[in-house]
Amino acid sequence: MNLVEQGAAFAAFWQERHLCTLSTARPGAPPHAVPVGATLDLETGIARVITSGTSYKARLIAADGALVALCQVDGRRWSTLEGRAVVRTEPEQVADAERRYTARYKPPRPNPARVVVEIQVTRVLGNV
């Protein structure tokens, strides 16, 4: 999905510093929603979340990948990205995600167990 087509306001919204929520499905239970920092590559349609490989969200996704929703809100402006998530453990993927996170937020604390939740966006909702 080419997210550049969503326009300048959408691009700016996903570059501003906002916390997000990542929602994953739990087997036989309500969704698991957690606050996260996220980055979005408009050209590739990939959103990234850095997290510990031992986190519940990473474990829910890691087995076979998972459908997820990533949402951010600022007053009346909101955007939800839906797609399939996978967990990446390759050092170059983690380093790239850390650079992107640093550009949007601040340098993340050191975490040798860090992985990247990579979401291939397939649907966009919102009013941005």
Side-chain angles (χ1 to χ4, degrees):
M1 172 172 242
N2 181 351
L3 299 179
V4 173
E5 296 171 357
Q6 295 292 321
F10 176 84
F13 187 58
W14 278 97
Q15 291 171 349
E16 297 167 5
R17 188 183 190 286
H18 298 290
L19 289 179
C20 304
T21 57
L22 177 66
S23 297
T24 54
R26 290 188 286 195
H32 176 64
V34 295
V36 296
T39 61
L40 179 61
D41 183 330
L42 297 171
E43 292 180 6
T44 63
I46 295 174
R48 292 173 179 84
V49 173
I50 58 175
T51 188
S52 178
T54 60
S55 69
Y56 189 59
K57 61 185 161 290
R59 289 182 285 133
L60 279 172
I61 295 166
D64 298 313
L67 294 175
V68 301
L70 180 68
C71 181
Q72 72 177 13
V73 62
D74 180 43
R76 293 181 177 195
R77 299 183 309 153
W78 66 276
S79 177
T80 297
L81 308 176
E82 296 178 345
R84 177 155 295 280
V86 294
V87 173
R88 301 279 187 219
T89 59
E90 303 90 341
E92 62 276 2
Q93 297 285 352
V94 173
D96 177 58
E98 288 172 334
R99 282 189 294 277
R100 293 170 187 270
Y101 182 94
T102 297
R104 186 171 188 197
Y105 299 100
K106 64 181 183 178
R109 63 176 170 70
N111 180 353
R114 181 166 287 132
V115 298
V116 181
V117 173
E118 187 177 278
I119 305 158
Q120 184 65 59
V121 178
T122 57
R123 185 174 181 202
V124 175
L125 304 162
N127 67 358
V128 181

